[in-house]
Amino acid sequence: MLWNYWHVGCASSQLGNKPKAIRIGDTGIAIYRDSVGRACALLDRCCHRGVKLSDGHVAPTGHIACAYHGWQYDMEGRCVHIPSLTEGRKIPVKCKTQSFPVVEQDSYVWIWMGDGNPIPEIPPVIPDFEKHAWHQGVTLYNCNARMLIENQFDTCHPMFTHPKSHPSWFFAKANKSKDHSYETRITESGFVTFTPPAKVGSDPIPPDNMGVTRFELPGRVLLKQKSIFSDFQIVLHVVQVTDTTSRLEWLQKVKGEKHNVQWIEQEPLINAQDRFVLESAQLNYSNGGDDFEQSVEVDHVTLLLRKIVALAGAGEWEGVRNTLQQRRVINFRY
Ligand code: FES
Ligand SMILES: [Fe+2]
Protein backbone atom coordinates (compact mmCIF):
# COMPACT_ATOMS: atom_id res chain seq x y z
CA MET A 1 0.00 0.00 0.00
CA LEU A 2 1.37 3.42 -0.97
CA TRP A 3 0.42 5.42 2.10
CA ASN A 4 2.17 8.74 1.58
CA TYR A 5 -0.12 9.89 -1.22
CA TRP A 6 -3.56 11.41 -1.61
CA HIS A 7 -6.23 8.79 -2.25
CA VAL A 8 -9.73 9.21 -3.60
CA GLY A 9 -12.25 8.64 -0.80
CA CYS A 10 -15.31 8.99 -2.99
CA ALA A 11 -16.87 11.24 -5.61
CA SER A 12 -18.08 14.58 -4.20
CA SER A 13 -21.62 13.91 -5.40
CA GLN A 14 -21.74 10.65 -3.44
CA LEU A 15 -21.18 12.27 -0.07
CA GLY A 16 -24.26 13.80 1.52
CA ASN A 17 -25.45 14.34 5.08
CA LYS A 18 -25.35 10.67 5.90
CA PRO A 19 -21.95 9.29 6.98
CA LYS A 20 -20.42 6.90 4.49
CA ALA A 21 -18.15 3.90 5.16
CA ILE A 22 -15.17 3.46 2.86
CA ARG A 23 -11.99 1.39 3.05
CA ILE A 24 -8.53 2.40 1.89
CA GLY A 25 -5.76 -0.15 2.28
CA ASP A 26 -7.82 -2.17 4.74
CA THR A 27 -8.49 0.84 6.99
CA GLY A 28 -12.15 1.61 7.60
CA ILE A 29 -12.90 5.33 7.34
CA ALA A 30 -16.12 7.21 8.08
CA ILE A 31 -16.56 10.20 5.78
CA TYR A 32 -19.31 12.75 6.21
CA ARG A 33 -20.18 16.42 5.74
CA ASP A 34 -20.41 18.67 8.78
CA SER A 35 -23.07 21.36 9.29
CA VAL A 36 -21.45 23.69 6.73
CA GLY A 37 -20.92 20.95 4.14
CA ARG A 38 -17.21 20.41 4.76
CA ALA A 39 -16.03 16.86 4.05
CA CYS A 40 -14.48 15.15 7.10
CA ALA A 41 -12.80 11.76 7.55
CA LEU A 42 -12.40 9.82 10.81
CA LEU A 43 -11.24 6.30 11.59
CA ASP A 44 -14.46 4.31 11.43
CA ARG A 45 -14.39 3.15 15.05
CA CYS A 46 -15.92 4.70 18.13
CA CYS A 47 -13.39 4.76 20.95
CA HIS A 48 -16.08 3.69 23.43
CA ARG A 49 -17.18 0.21 22.29
CA GLY A 50 -15.94 0.10 18.74
CA VAL A 51 -19.12 0.68 16.77
CA LYS A 52 -18.56 2.04 13.26
CA LEU A 53 -19.05 5.79 13.25
CA SER A 54 -20.37 5.51 9.71
CA ASP A 55 -23.41 3.74 11.24
CA GLY A 56 -24.19 6.93 13.16
CA HIS A 57 -25.49 10.31 12.05
CA VAL A 58 -24.36 13.92 11.85
CA ALA A 59 -25.85 16.02 14.65
CA PRO A 60 -27.11 19.59 13.95
CA THR A 61 -23.83 20.84 15.50
CA GLY A 62 -21.98 19.11 12.62
CA HIS A 63 -20.44 16.53 14.95
CA ILE A 64 -20.70 12.87 14.05
CA ALA A 65 -22.71 10.91 16.64
CA CYS A 66 -22.21 7.22 17.35
CA ALA A 67 -25.24 4.93 16.89
CA TYR A 68 -24.67 3.07 20.19
CA HIS A 69 -24.44 5.57 23.08
CA GLY A 70 -24.43 8.83 21.16
CA TRP A 71 -20.85 9.97 21.79
CA GLN A 72 -20.05 12.81 19.42
CA TYR A 73 -16.77 13.66 17.68
CA ASP A 74 -15.54 16.82 15.98
CA MET A 75 -13.68 16.81 12.66
CA GLU A 76 -10.33 16.43 14.46
CA GLY A 77 -11.59 13.21 16.02
CA ARG A 78 -11.94 14.66 19.54
CA CYS A 79 -14.88 13.36 21.52
CA VAL A 80 -16.87 16.51 22.33
CA HIS A 81 -20.05 15.13 23.87
CA ILE A 82 -20.85 12.08 26.01
CA PRO A 83 -24.60 12.06 26.77
CA SER A 84 -24.28 9.87 29.90
CA LEU A 85 -21.99 12.29 31.77
CA THR A 86 -23.70 14.26 34.54
CA GLU A 87 -23.24 18.02 35.09
CA GLY A 88 -19.63 18.97 35.80
CA ARG A 89 -18.13 15.64 34.68
CA LYS A 90 -15.29 16.05 32.16
CA ILE A 91 -14.74 14.10 28.95
CA PRO A 92 -11.58 12.02 29.46
CA VAL A 93 -8.80 13.38 27.20
CA LYS A 94 -8.12 9.93 25.79
CA CYS A 95 -11.60 9.85 24.26
CA LYS A 96 -10.80 10.43 20.61
CA THR A 97 -10.48 8.71 17.28
CA GLN A 98 -8.02 9.27 14.45
CA SER A 99 -8.78 11.96 11.88
CA PHE A 100 -7.41 12.27 8.35
CA PRO A 101 -6.70 15.40 6.29
CA VAL A 102 -9.37 15.88 3.59
CA VAL A 103 -9.42 18.06 0.47
CA GLU A 104 -12.30 18.33 -1.94
CA GLN A 105 -11.08 19.01 -5.47
CA ASP A 106 -12.01 18.15 -9.07
CA SER A 107 -15.25 16.42 -8.01
CA TYR A 108 -13.51 14.08 -5.57
CA VAL A 109 -13.07 13.88 -1.81
CA TRP A 110 -9.36 13.17 -1.29
CA ILE A 111 -7.95 11.65 1.86
CA TRP A 112 -4.39 11.76 3.15
CA MET A 113 -3.45 8.69 5.15
CA GLY A 114 0.30 9.20 5.23
CA ASP A 115 2.63 10.39 7.96
CA GLY A 116 2.49 13.98 9.16
CA ASN A 117 1.21 16.83 7.07
CA PRO A 118 0.30 16.05 3.46
CA ILE A 119 3.01 16.51 0.82
CA PRO A 120 1.99 17.89 -1.61
CA GLU A 121 -0.40 20.05 0.40
CA ILE A 122 -3.24 19.34 -2.00
CA PRO A 123 -3.80 16.43 -4.42
CA PRO A 124 -2.41 16.80 -7.96
CA VAL A 125 -5.08 18.46 -10.12
CA ILE A 126 -6.76 16.54 -12.93
CA PRO A 127 -5.51 18.15 -16.17
CA ASP A 128 -8.21 20.06 -18.11
CA PHE A 129 -10.87 18.91 -15.68
CA GLU A 130 -12.73 22.23 -15.88
CA LYS A 131 -12.64 22.22 -19.68
CA HIS A 132 -14.75 19.14 -20.32
CA ALA A 133 -18.04 17.45 -19.54
CA TRP A 134 -17.63 14.10 -17.77
CA HIS A 135 -19.47 10.99 -16.75
CA GLN A 136 -18.32 9.74 -13.38
CA GLY A 137 -18.80 6.46 -11.57
CA VAL A 138 -17.25 3.77 -9.43
CA THR A 139 -16.69 0.04 -9.99
CA LEU A 140 -15.56 -2.43 -7.34
CA TYR A 141 -13.29 -5.28 -8.38
CA ASN A 142 -12.40 -8.48 -6.56
CA CYS A 143 -8.77 -8.16 -7.57
CA ASN A 144 -5.59 -6.48 -6.41
CA ALA A 145 -5.28 -2.77 -7.26
CA ARG A 146 -2.04 -3.24 -9.16
CA MET A 147 -3.65 -5.80 -11.49
CA LEU A 148 -6.33 -3.28 -12.27
CA ILE A 149 -3.76 -0.58 -13.09
CA GLU A 150 -1.72 -3.04 -15.19
CA ASN A 151 -4.84 -3.79 -17.18
CA GLN A 152 -5.10 -0.17 -18.31
CA PHE A 153 -1.65 -0.44 -19.95
CA ASP A 154 -2.20 -3.87 -21.41
CA THR A 155 -2.09 -3.02 -25.11
CA CYS A 156 -3.10 -6.34 -26.57
CA HIS A 157 -6.14 -7.39 -24.56
CA PRO A 158 -8.94 -5.19 -25.98
CA MET A 159 -9.37 -7.24 -29.16
CA PHE A 160 -10.17 -10.28 -26.98
CA THR A 161 -11.70 -8.82 -23.83
CA HIS A 162 -13.63 -5.82 -25.09
CA PRO A 163 -15.90 -6.74 -27.99
CA LYS A 164 -18.04 -3.79 -29.08
CA SER A 165 -16.89 -1.49 -26.30
CA HIS A 166 -13.24 -0.45 -26.56
CA PRO A 167 -11.88 1.83 -29.33
CA SER A 168 -8.98 -0.62 -29.77
CA TRP A 169 -11.45 -3.44 -30.45
CA PHE A 170 -13.02 -1.40 -33.25
CA PHE A 171 -9.54 -0.61 -34.55
CA ALA A 172 -8.64 -4.32 -34.63
CA LYS A 173 -11.91 -5.13 -36.41
CA ALA A 174 -11.34 -2.53 -39.11
CA ASN A 175 -7.65 -3.27 -39.73
CA LYS A 176 -5.59 -6.30 -40.61
CA SER A 177 -3.34 -7.40 -37.80
CA LYS A 178 0.10 -5.83 -38.21
CA ASP A 179 3.24 -4.96 -36.32
CA HIS A 180 3.39 -1.83 -34.16
CA SER A 181 5.69 -0.38 -31.53
CA TYR A 182 5.05 1.55 -28.38
CA GLU A 183 7.40 3.73 -26.41
CA THR A 184 7.61 4.10 -22.65
CA ARG A 185 9.18 7.12 -20.98
CA ILE A 186 9.82 7.67 -17.33
CA THR A 187 8.13 10.80 -15.95
CA GLU A 188 8.33 12.61 -12.64
CA SER A 189 5.44 10.71 -11.10
CA GLY A 190 5.47 7.47 -13.09
CA PHE A 191 5.64 6.92 -16.83
CA VAL A 192 3.93 7.61 -20.13
CA THR A 193 3.43 5.21 -23.01
CA PHE A 194 2.35 5.89 -26.59
CA THR A 195 2.14 4.38 -30.08
CA PRO A 196 3.97 4.90 -32.39
CA PRO A 197 7.28 5.80 -30.73
CA ALA A 198 9.08 9.06 -31.41
CA LYS A 199 12.07 8.87 -33.79
CA VAL A 200 14.48 9.81 -31.01
CA GLY A 201 14.04 10.14 -27.29
CA SER A 202 14.42 13.91 -27.31
CA ASP A 203 11.43 14.29 -29.68
CA PRO A 204 8.03 15.12 -28.21
CA ILE A 205 5.21 12.55 -28.30
CA PRO A 206 4.19 12.27 -31.99
CA PRO A 207 1.05 14.40 -32.53
CA ASP A 208 -0.44 11.71 -34.82
CA ASN A 209 -0.23 9.10 -32.05
CA MET A 210 -2.80 6.32 -31.75
CA GLY A 211 -3.03 6.78 -28.02
CA VAL A 212 -1.22 8.12 -24.97
CA THR A 213 -1.57 6.60 -21.51
CA ARG A 214 0.03 8.01 -18.39
CA PHE A 215 0.55 6.48 -14.98
CA GLU A 216 0.97 8.71 -11.94
CA LEU A 217 1.64 7.34 -8.49
CA PRO A 218 -0.14 6.04 -6.52
CA GLY A 219 -2.98 4.98 -8.85
CA ARG A 220 -3.91 7.54 -11.47
CA VAL A 221 -4.24 6.56 -15.13
CA LEU A 222 -4.87 9.16 -17.83
CA LEU A 223 -5.77 7.74 -21.21
CA LYS A 224 -6.36 9.61 -24.47
CA GLN A 225 -7.14 7.87 -27.73
CA LYS A 226 -8.16 10.07 -30.60
CA SER A 227 -8.92 8.42 -33.94
CA ILE A 228 -11.53 8.27 -36.65
CA PHE A 229 -13.31 5.75 -34.41
CA SER A 230 -13.58 7.84 -31.31
CA ASP A 231 -12.37 10.62 -29.10
CA PHE A 232 -11.79 8.54 -26.00
CA GLN A 233 -10.49 10.16 -22.84
CA ILE A 234 -10.66 8.68 -19.36
CA VAL A 235 -9.20 9.55 -15.97
CA LEU A 236 -9.01 6.64 -13.56
CA HIS A 237 -8.08 6.48 -9.91
CA VAL A 238 -7.46 2.99 -8.62
CA VAL A 239 -7.68 2.69 -4.84
CA GLN A 240 -6.50 -0.39 -3.01
CA VAL A 241 -9.18 -1.60 -0.61
CA THR A 242 -7.71 -4.92 0.58
CA ASP A 243 -5.10 -7.21 -0.98
CA THR A 244 -7.71 -8.71 -3.28
CA THR A 245 -10.24 -5.93 -3.68
CA SER A 246 -9.99 -2.54 -5.31
CA ARG A 247 -12.10 0.41 -6.25
CA LEU A 248 -11.99 2.10 -9.63
CA GLU A 249 -13.13 5.72 -9.52
CA TRP A 250 -13.62 6.59 -13.16
CA LEU A 251 -14.24 9.72 -15.23
CA GLN A 252 -14.97 9.58 -18.93
CA LYS A 253 -15.02 12.65 -21.14
CA VAL A 254 -18.34 13.09 -22.93
CA LYS A 255 -19.47 15.47 -25.65
CA GLY A 256 -20.53 18.81 -24.29
CA GLU A 257 -19.52 22.42 -24.49
CA LYS A 258 -19.83 23.18 -20.81
CA HIS A 259 -17.98 21.66 -17.91
CA ASN A 260 -20.19 19.40 -15.86
CA VAL A 261 -20.00 16.07 -14.08
CA GLN A 262 -22.82 13.56 -14.25
CA TRP A 263 -22.94 10.54 -11.95
CA ILE A 264 -23.54 7.21 -13.71
CA GLU A 265 -24.84 4.38 -11.54
CA GLN A 266 -24.57 1.64 -14.15
CA GLU A 267 -21.29 -0.20 -14.61
CA PRO A 268 -19.75 0.56 -18.03
CA LEU A 269 -19.43 -2.49 -20.30
CA ILE A 270 -15.63 -2.05 -20.53
CA ASN A 271 -15.34 -2.26 -16.74
CA ALA A 272 -17.53 -5.37 -16.55
CA GLN A 273 -15.45 -7.06 -19.26
CA ASP A 274 -12.18 -6.29 -17.43
CA ARG A 275 -13.71 -7.41 -14.14
CA PHE A 276 -14.48 -10.80 -15.67
CA VAL A 277 -10.84 -11.56 -16.63
CA LEU A 278 -9.21 -9.87 -13.63
CA GLU A 279 -11.34 -11.64 -11.05
CA SER A 280 -10.69 -14.92 -12.84
CA ALA A 281 -6.91 -14.31 -12.61
CA GLN A 282 -7.12 -13.14 -8.99
CA LEU A 283 -8.52 -16.54 -7.93
CA ASN A 284 -5.41 -18.22 -9.34
CA TYR A 285 -3.03 -15.70 -7.75
CA SER A 286 -4.83 -16.11 -4.42
CA ASN A 287 -4.65 -19.90 -4.64
CA GLY A 288 -1.15 -20.36 -5.99
CA GLY A 289 0.89 -17.14 -5.92
CA ASP A 290 2.50 -15.73 -9.07
CA ASP A 291 5.45 -18.08 -9.66
CA PHE A 292 3.74 -19.53 -12.73
CA GLU A 293 3.75 -16.21 -14.61
CA GLN A 294 5.47 -15.94 -18.00
CA SER A 295 5.83 -12.67 -19.90
CA VAL A 296 6.63 -11.67 -23.49
CA GLU A 297 7.99 -8.49 -25.07
CA VAL A 298 4.71 -6.57 -25.09
CA ASP A 299 4.44 -7.03 -21.30
CA HIS A 300 7.37 -4.66 -20.72
CA VAL A 301 4.98 -1.92 -19.64
CA THR A 302 3.44 -4.19 -16.98
CA LEU A 303 6.86 -5.04 -15.58
CA LEU A 304 7.86 -1.36 -15.62
CA LEU A 305 4.73 -0.46 -13.69
CA ARG A 306 5.46 -3.14 -11.09
CA LYS A 307 8.98 -1.83 -10.70
CA ILE A 308 7.82 1.75 -10.15
CA VAL A 309 5.13 0.73 -7.65
CA ALA A 310 7.66 -1.43 -5.76
CA LEU A 311 10.19 1.43 -5.66
CA ALA A 312 7.53 3.85 -4.44
CA GLY A 313 6.42 1.33 -1.81
CA ALA A 314 10.00 1.11 -0.55
CA GLY A 315 10.27 4.92 -0.54
CA GLU A 316 13.01 4.78 -3.19
CA TRP A 317 11.26 6.14 -6.26
CA GLU A 318 12.43 9.77 -5.98
CA GLY A 319 16.02 8.66 -5.39
CA VAL A 320 16.40 6.22 -8.29
CA ARG A 321 13.97 7.64 -10.87
CA ASN A 322 16.76 9.29 -12.89
CA THR A 323 18.93 6.18 -12.90
CA LEU A 324 16.27 4.03 -14.62
CA GLN A 325 16.39 3.49 -18.37
CA GLN A 326 14.42 6.56 -19.39
CA ARG A 327 13.04 5.27 -22.67
CA ARG A 328 12.21 1.90 -24.24
CA VAL A 329 10.66 0.96 -27.57
CA ILE A 330 8.69 -2.29 -27.62
CA ASN A 331 7.39 -4.25 -30.60
CA PHE A 332 4.06 -6.00 -30.70
CA ARG A 333 1.48 -7.30 -33.13
CA TYR A 334 -2.09 -6.07 -32.97
S1 FES B 1 -19.85 2.51 21.14
FE1 FES B 1 -19.95 4.48 20.37
S2 FES B 1 -20.91 5.57 21.93
FE2 FES B 1 -20.68 3.62 22.80
FE1 LIG C 1 -9.47 -3.60 -20.43
Side-chain angles (χ1 to χ4, degrees):
M1 179 68 193
L2 303 175
W3 292 112
N4 284 323
Y5 291 90
W6 287 98
H7 294 279
V8 171
C10 70
S12 290
S13 67
Q14 300 310 294
L15 186 61
N17 291 333
K18 240 176 86 56
K20 187 180 173 77
I22 57 156
R23 294 193 86 78
I24 299 177
D26 238 352
T27 302
I29 302 172
I31 45 178
Y32 60 96
R33 292 190 187 279
D34 68 8
S35 48
V36 292
R38 245 179 330 196
C40 312
L42 300 181
L43 184 70
D44 201 1
R45 187 183 67 200
C46 178
C47 71
H48 181 215
R49 289 297 176 268
V51 171
K52 285 160 74 178
L53 291 176
S54 57
D55 288 333
H57 69 278
V58 178
T61 50
H63 300 138
I64 190 168
C66 179
Y68 202 1
H69 312 94
W71 290 23
Q72 291 185 10
Y73 298 84
D74 67 9
M75 64 188 299
E76 313 286 346
R78 281 180 298 246
C79 183
V80 290
H81 180 54
I82 297 182
S84 66
L85 289 183
T86 54
E87 198 58 36
R89 295 290 192 277
K90 283 220 170 71
I91 296 172
V93 283
K94 279 191 176 163
C95 291
K96 57 182 180 214
T97 191
Q98 191 181 350
S99 71
F100 303 94
V102 178
V103 166
E104 202 161 358
Q105 178 180 294
D106 295 342
S107 80
Y108 285 112
V109 175
W110 300 85
I111 300 181
W112 174 264
M113 296 178 65
D115 315 321
N117 291 328
I119 303 172
E121 232 168 274
I122 57 165
V125 296
I126 295 175
D128 295 336
F129 178 71
E130 301 285 344
K131 274 196 197 157
H132 303 306
W134 305 90
H135 280 174
Q136 184 181 39
V138 64
T139 305
L140 303 176
Y141 290 72
N142 286 315
C143 76
N144 181 273
R146 205 197 56 206
M147 287 167 67
L148 183 49
I149 302 171
E150 287 172 14
N151 172 261
Q152 313 306 325
F153 291 91
D154 189 302
T155 321
C156 289
H157 82 285
M159 76 157 90
F160 306 103
T161 309
H162 294 302
K164 300 195 173 131
S165 63
H166 199 290
S168 297
W169 182 86
F170 291 102
F171 175 86
K173 269 268 156 201
N175 293 279
K176 273 219 177 71
S177 166
K178 67 178 200 181
D179 293 354
H180 303 273
S181 309
Y182 69 76
E183 175 173 342
T184 57
R185 278 186 198 178
I186 301 290
T187 62
E188 217 166 282
S189 47
F191 68 90
V192 59
T193 172
F194 47 90
T195 303
K199 289 213 168 52
V200 290
S202 50
D203 282 354
I205 297 173
D208 59 339
N209 67 75
M210 292 159 68
V212 179
T213 315
R214 289 177 187 278
F215 170 67
E216 293 175 4
L217 287 161
R220 177 181 285 183
V221 178
L222 303 151
L223 185 153
K224 274 190 199 178
Q225 244 174 322
K226 207 175 169 106
S227 69
I228 48 167
F229 303 104
S230 67
D231 176 9
F232 188 62
Q233 186 170 337
I234 51 175
V235 178
L236 309 175
H237 291 92
V238 177
V239 184
Q240 183 174 322
V241 178
T242 67
D243 242 16
T244 56
T245 53
S246 47
R247 172 157 56 84
L248 178 69
E249 299 279 355
W250 61 266
L251 277 172
Q252 179 166 1
K253 192 179 98 170
V254 289
K255 283 204 185 86
E257 305 280 282
K258 273 220 203 88
H259 168 72
N260 78 74
V261 182
Q262 189 191 343
W263 182 257
I264 304 294
E265 202 59 56
Q266 207 195 347
E267 180 182 24
L269 179 57
I270 290 189
N271 296 14
Q273 290 165 332
D274 280 329
R275 203 157 49 70
F276 174 72
V277 291
L278 292 171
E279 293 184 352
S280 162
Q282 180 64 67
L283 289 177
N284 275 321
Y285 287 115
S286 296
N287 290 335
D290 61 3
D291 281 352
F292 65 88
E293 269 194 342
Q294 304 294 326
S295 297
V296 292
E297 184 174 355
V298 74
D299 298 317
H300 163 73
V301 67
T302 300
L303 305 179
L304 176 65
L305 175 74
R306 290 180 184 181
K307 190 175 192 168
I308 291 173
V309 171
L311 286 169
E316 292 168 8
W317 165 247
E318 294 294 333
V320 303
R321 175 161 52 87
N322 292 326
T323 67
L324 299 176
Q325 186 176 346
Q326 296 296 299
R327 172 183 193 242
R328 278 281 299 270
V329 173
I330 298 296
N331 302 314
F332 67 100
R333 183 162 293 176
Y334 191 80

Short mmCIF file of all heavy atoms in Angstrom, two decimals, residues 33 79 86 98 110 116-117 154 187 231 260 269-270 290 295 313 328:
data_model
loop_
_atom_site.label_atom_id
_atom_site.label_comp_id
_atom_site.label_asym_id
_atom_site.label_seq_id
_atom_site.Cartn_x
_atom_site.Cartn_y
_atom_site.Cartn_z
N ARG A 33 -20.23 14.96 5.85
CA ARG A 33 -20.18 16.42 5.74
C ARG A 33 -20.68 17.01 7.04
O ARG A 33 -21.68 16.55 7.59
CB ARG A 33 -21.05 16.91 4.58
CG ARG A 33 -20.50 16.50 3.22
CD ARG A 33 -21.25 17.19 2.10
NE ARG A 33 -20.82 16.68 0.81
CZ ARG A 33 -19.71 17.06 0.18
NH1 ARG A 33 -18.93 17.97 0.72
NH2 ARG A 33 -19.39 16.53 -0.98
N CYS A 79 -13.54 13.60 21.01
CA CYS A 79 -14.88 13.36 21.52
C CYS A 79 -15.32 14.65 22.23
O CYS A 79 -14.63 15.14 23.13
CB CYS A 79 -14.87 12.18 22.48
SG CYS A 79 -16.52 11.81 23.07
N THR A 86 -22.88 13.30 33.80
CA THR A 86 -23.70 14.26 34.54
C THR A 86 -22.99 15.61 34.61
O THR A 86 -21.78 15.72 34.34
CB THR A 86 -23.98 13.74 35.96
OG1 THR A 86 -22.74 13.45 36.58
CG2 THR A 86 -24.85 12.50 35.94
N GLN A 98 -8.96 8.66 15.40
CA GLN A 98 -8.02 9.27 14.45
C GLN A 98 -8.76 10.06 13.37
O GLN A 98 -9.81 9.62 12.89
CB GLN A 98 -7.19 8.16 13.80
CG GLN A 98 -6.01 8.67 13.00
CD GLN A 98 -5.24 7.51 12.35
OE1 GLN A 98 -5.48 6.34 12.64
NE2 GLN A 98 -4.33 7.85 11.47
N TRP A 110 -10.69 13.80 -1.39
CA TRP A 110 -9.36 13.17 -1.29
C TRP A 110 -8.96 13.02 0.16
O TRP A 110 -9.19 13.94 0.97
CB TRP A 110 -8.32 14.04 -1.99
CG TRP A 110 -8.58 14.27 -3.45
CD1 TRP A 110 -9.38 15.24 -3.98
CD2 TRP A 110 -8.06 13.53 -4.55
NE1 TRP A 110 -9.38 15.15 -5.34
CE2 TRP A 110 -8.58 14.12 -5.73
CE3 TRP A 110 -7.19 12.45 -4.65
CZ2 TRP A 110 -8.26 13.63 -7.00
CZ3 TRP A 110 -6.87 11.98 -5.92
CH2 TRP A 110 -7.40 12.56 -7.07
N GLY A 116 2.37 12.52 9.04
CA GLY A 116 2.49 13.98 9.16
C GLY A 116 1.57 14.75 8.24
O GLY A 116 0.54 14.24 7.79
N ASN A 117 2.01 15.99 7.94
CA ASN A 117 1.21 16.83 7.07
C ASN A 117 1.34 16.37 5.62
O ASN A 117 2.40 15.91 5.22
CB ASN A 117 1.64 18.30 7.19
CG ASN A 117 1.28 18.86 8.54
OD1 ASN A 117 0.26 18.47 9.14
ND2 ASN A 117 2.11 19.75 9.06
N ASP A 154 -2.33 -2.61 -20.70
CA ASP A 154 -2.20 -3.87 -21.41
C ASP A 154 -2.72 -3.70 -22.84
O ASP A 154 -3.92 -3.81 -23.09
CB ASP A 154 -2.98 -4.94 -20.63
CG ASP A 154 -2.73 -6.32 -21.17
OD1 ASP A 154 -2.98 -6.54 -22.36
OD2 ASP A 154 -2.26 -7.16 -20.41
N THR A 187 8.49 9.42 -16.26
CA THR A 187 8.13 10.80 -15.95
C THR A 187 8.38 11.05 -14.46
O THR A 187 8.78 10.13 -13.74
CB THR A 187 6.64 11.06 -16.26
OG1 THR A 187 5.85 10.20 -15.42
CG2 THR A 187 6.30 10.81 -17.70
N ASP A 231 -13.17 9.67 -29.85
CA ASP A 231 -12.37 10.62 -29.10
C ASP A 231 -12.52 10.17 -27.66
O ASP A 231 -13.44 10.56 -26.97
CB ASP A 231 -12.94 12.03 -29.32
CG ASP A 231 -12.21 13.07 -28.49
OD1 ASP A 231 -11.17 12.73 -27.89
OD2 ASP A 231 -12.69 14.21 -28.44
N ASN A 260 -19.30 19.92 -16.89
CA ASN A 260 -20.19 19.40 -15.86
C ASN A 260 -19.84 17.95 -15.60
O ASN A 260 -19.12 17.32 -16.38
CB ASN A 260 -21.68 19.61 -16.22
CG ASN A 260 -22.15 18.59 -17.23
OD1 ASN A 260 -22.35 17.42 -16.90
ND2 ASN A 260 -22.31 19.03 -18.47
N LEU A 269 -19.72 -1.16 -19.75
CA LEU A 269 -19.43 -2.49 -20.30
C LEU A 269 -17.93 -2.80 -20.24
O LEU A 269 -17.53 -3.91 -19.89
CB LEU A 269 -19.95 -2.55 -21.75
CG LEU A 269 -19.72 -3.86 -22.50
CD1 LEU A 269 -20.35 -5.04 -21.75
CD2 LEU A 269 -20.30 -3.77 -23.92
N ILE A 270 -17.09 -1.82 -20.55
CA ILE A 270 -15.63 -2.05 -20.53
C ILE A 270 -15.20 -2.52 -19.14
O ILE A 270 -14.41 -3.45 -19.00
CB ILE A 270 -14.86 -0.76 -20.92
CG1 ILE A 270 -15.05 -0.46 -22.40
CG2 ILE A 270 -13.37 -0.90 -20.60
CD1 ILE A 270 -14.17 0.65 -22.95
N ASP A 290 2.28 -16.17 -7.69
CA ASP A 290 2.50 -15.73 -9.07
C ASP A 290 3.74 -16.37 -9.71
O ASP A 290 4.22 -15.90 -10.74
CB ASP A 290 2.58 -14.20 -9.13
CG ASP A 290 3.73 -13.64 -8.29
OD1 ASP A 290 4.49 -14.45 -7.72
OD2 ASP A 290 3.85 -12.41 -8.22
N SER A 295 6.12 -13.92 -19.20
CA SER A 295 5.83 -12.67 -19.90
C SER A 295 6.53 -12.66 -21.25
O SER A 295 7.53 -13.36 -21.45
CB SER A 295 6.32 -11.48 -19.08
OG SER A 295 5.62 -11.41 -17.85
N GLY A 313 6.79 1.99 -3.06
CA GLY A 313 6.42 1.33 -1.81
C GLY A 313 7.59 1.28 -0.84
O GLY A 313 7.41 1.37 0.38
N ARG A 328 12.13 3.22 -23.60
CA ARG A 328 12.21 1.90 -24.24
C ARG A 328 11.23 1.86 -25.39
O ARG A 328 10.15 2.45 -25.32
CB ARG A 328 11.81 0.78 -23.25
CG ARG A 328 12.87 0.31 -22.29
CD ARG A 328 13.90 -0.65 -22.88
NE ARG A 328 13.40 -1.91 -23.39
CZ ARG A 328 13.28 -3.02 -22.69
NH1 ARG A 328 13.58 -3.05 -21.40
NH2 ARG A 328 12.85 -4.14 -23.26
#
